């Protein structure tokens, strides 16, 4: 029997910081309001000219180094992103592979907004368990600053740029394998979080540009309520299915959208603050990159050790949601 094991984690955190004080200069807001409503204090912004593939390749490089495998051993690259370098082609995964010096490898993107990394993990697991691939590089890479309307005070302060990556490898040892992943969606909620223009529905036009329709639009309050409900029930279902309690989890790594969402889910599940990884104060919401960036942060802080049981929980545009339970 072949199992999939989560081998390593890496991230790239762009050095440029945009603080809440910087937003006070461009929109009608305050550090106090943003901190109270979201817990966000600052976020990272990629350099001009840098694209998601540049951030993703850097994160991938670190994940490969930490997995102690050679690049030649990677036989699949998956990139989760909704801010691809190019709208249609080539995929960001192809560009990341090329930047890593991999020119003869299967590579494709996964689009599931903030749940993208959990979706990519699920796809990697399926490829490995089927015996088709042995070492998969999964990347969550986002340059949200490219799709934000910096005059829209209801969205622009929430998001940031960055990337995280992991190596998922085949193993015969069940005790070190990914235990379970659940991914789901409901497209009936398409209007809650959307970039309405620039795709085949509303192709790029003067109207799309003038109305900033290629930028993110979000019904924040409705999304907030659904996020708390879905994330909580998703974790409960996962734990019950495997006869586990929150005592069995060493690290809960939720999608980093809003500290109030993380807190509400943690309280509903009776998860202690020590077990919950929080980086939303430092990086804001980096969508598909948020979970691997948070895991990398906890790893570099020395909190995550080999053999720990980790639970991911994500929610995002689509709507999409998903959770993953694994040993590190
Ligand atoms: N500064 C100051 N005031 C503001 C700002 C701002 N930046 N933005 C909105 N307000 C005002 C509103 O105009 C409103 O004023 P009013 O009462 O006079 O009408 C008031 O603040 C409250 O607005 P709400 O939208 O109700 O604020 P809420 O408490 O819901 O917080 C927020 C907004 C932070 C966006 C929250 O709803 C949220 O985090 N939602 C979830 C987002 C999320 O989880 N997304 C998930 C995935 S994202 C993805 O997939 C890409």
């Amino acid at each position: 029997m072949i199992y999939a094991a989560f081998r390593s984690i890496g991230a790239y955190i762009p050095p440029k910081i945009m603080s809440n004080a910087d937003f006070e200069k461009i929109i009608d807001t305050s550090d106090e309001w943003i901190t109270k409503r979201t817990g966000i204090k600052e976020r990272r912004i990629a350099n001009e000219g840098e694209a998601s593939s540049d951030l993703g390749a850097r994160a991938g490089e670190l994940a490969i180094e930490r997995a102690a495998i050679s690049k030649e051993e990677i036989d699949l690259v998956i990139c989760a992103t909704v801010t691809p370098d190019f709208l249609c082609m080539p995929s960001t995964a192809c560009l990341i592979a090329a930047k890593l010096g991999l020119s003869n490898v299967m590579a494709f993107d996964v689009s599931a907004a903030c749940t993208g990394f959990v979706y990519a993990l699920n796809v990697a697991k399926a490829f490995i368990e089927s015996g088709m691939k042995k070492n998969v590089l999964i990347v969550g890479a986002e340059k949200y600053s490219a799709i934000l309307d910096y005059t829209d005070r209801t969205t622009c302060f929430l998001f940031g740029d960055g990337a995280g990556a992991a190596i998922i490898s085949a193993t015969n040892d069940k005790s070190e394998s990914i235990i379970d992943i659940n991914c789901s969606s409901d497209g009936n909620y398409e209007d809650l979080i959307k970039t309405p223009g620039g795709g085949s529905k509303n192709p790029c036009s003067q109207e799309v540009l003038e109305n900033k329709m290629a930028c993110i639009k979000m019904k924040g309050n409705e999304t907030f309520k659904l996020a708390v409900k879905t994330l909580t029930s998703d974790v409960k279902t996962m734990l019950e299915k495997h006869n586990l309690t929150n005592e069995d989890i060493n690290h809960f790594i939720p999608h980093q959208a809003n500290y109030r969402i993380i807190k509400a889910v943690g309280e509903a599940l009776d998860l202690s603050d020590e077990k919950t990884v929080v980086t939303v104060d430092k990086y804001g919401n980096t969508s598909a990159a948020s979970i691997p960036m948070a895991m990398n942060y906890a790893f570099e802080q020395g909190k995550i050790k080999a053999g720990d049981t980790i639970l991911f929980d994500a929610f995002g545009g689509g709507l999409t949601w998903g959770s993953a339970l694994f040993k590190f």
Side-chain angles (χ1 to χ4, degrees):
M1 188 80 183
I2 309 169
Y3 302 101
F6 202 112
R7 281 270 176 260
S8 69
I9 188 75
Y12 175 69
I13 317 296
K16 194 163 137 196
I17 293 173
M18 194 165 177
S19 68
N20 290 348
D22 293 325
F23 279 92
E24 288 176 346
K25 293 175 201 148
I26 57 172
I27 52 169
D28 179 14
T29 193
S30 65
D31 172 43
E32 193 197 350
W33 190 94
I34 297 175
T35 306
K36 199 169 153 211
R37 297 281 172 140
T38 70
I40 300 169
K41 295 298 287 181
E42 57 189 41
R43 65 293 288 145
R44 302 301 176 107
I45 305 293
N47 289 327
E48 218 173 295
E50 248 178 349
S52 293
S53 70
D54 297 305
L55 314 182
R58 286 193 169 111
E61 193 87 49
L62 187 56
I64 295 167
E65 191 188 309
R66 286 180 178 159
I69 59 169
S70 69
K71 286 179 182 169
E72 293 68 39
E73 290 175 87
I74 293 167
D75 45 13
L76 173 60
V77 178
I78 305 173
C79 178
T81 186
V82 286
T83 51
D85 290 26
F86 302 103
L87 185 59
C88 305
M89 67 198 87
S91 75
T92 305
C94 286
L95 302 171
I96 289 172
K99 282 171 185 168
L100 290 170
L102 306 168
S103 56
N104 188 14
V105 67
M106 184 175 181
F108 60 87
D109 287 358
V110 163
S111 170
C114 304
T115 319
F117 194 75
V118 178
Y119 268 60
L121 183 58
N122 205 353
V123 177
K125 177 176 179 282
F127 265 96
I128 288 170
E129 288 177 349
S130 71
M132 285 173 72
K133 301 292 173 191
K134 286 195 171 64
N135 292 295
V136 184
L137 169 65
I138 58 168
V139 181
E142 303 281 16
K143 188 183 175 188
Y144 257 67
S145 59
I147 61 158
L148 292 174
D149 171 1
Y150 282 99
T151 63
D152 177 4
R153 74 167 185 161
T154 66
T155 55
C156 67
F157 64 93
L158 292 166
F159 299 93
D161 302 337
I167 294 290
I168 315 301
S169 297
T171 178
N172 293 315
D173 184 355
K174 193 176 181 200
S175 71
E176 62 173 20
S177 71
I178 294 171
I179 300 161
D180 198 7
I181 304 176
N182 171 52
C183 289
S184 200
S185 75
D186 188 347
N188 290 305
Y189 290 102
E190 63 165 322
D191 287 331
L192 283 192
I193 312 163
K194 199 171 193 172
T195 50
S200 60
K201 177 93 172 170
N202 296 304
C204 195
S205 64
Q206 201 56 35
E207 188 204 350
V208 165
L209 290 175
E210 276 167 11
N211 295 317
K212 298 190 173 154
M213 288 166 68
C215 293
I216 190 164
K217 315 280 176 204
M218 184 171 68
K219 293 178 182 164
N221 205 274
E222 284 171 63
T223 307
F224 185 99
K225 288 175 199 152
L226 264 173
V228 174
K229 203 170 125 200
T230 310
L231 289 169
T232 307
S233 71
D234 218 23
V235 168
K236 276 190 179 151
T237 308
M238 180 64 94
L239 293 179
E240 277 166 23
K241 186 175 165 193
H242 295 279
N243 258 326
L244 299 172
T245 69
N246 49 18
E247 291 299 311
D248 299 304
I249 305 301
N250 298 111
H251 309 282
F252 175 53
I253 309 183
H255 169 49
Q256 309 284 315
N258 183 321
Y259 181 66
R260 281 160 58 218
I261 295 177
I262 296 171
K263 188 90 183 142
V265 173
E267 279 171 8
L269 296 166
D270 203 17
L271 274 158
S272 68
D273 285 353
E274 294 74 53
K275 287 189 178 187
T276 306
V277 179
V278 177
T279 52
V280 69
D281 54 329
K282 290 177 257 309
Y283 307 147
N285 180 349
T286 56
S287 196
S290 106
I291 284 183
M293 283 168 74
M295 181 172 167
N296 181 73
Y297 178 80
F299 177 75
E300 290 187 349
Q301 295 281 306
K303 290 186 179 144
I304 295 180
K305 310 237 164 15
D308 281 356
T309 303
I310 297 177
L311 181 62
F312 287 166
D313 198 13
F315 180 90
L319 291 179
T320 56
W321 61 92
S323 54
L325 182 64
F326 63 97
K327 292 268 182 199
F328 184 59

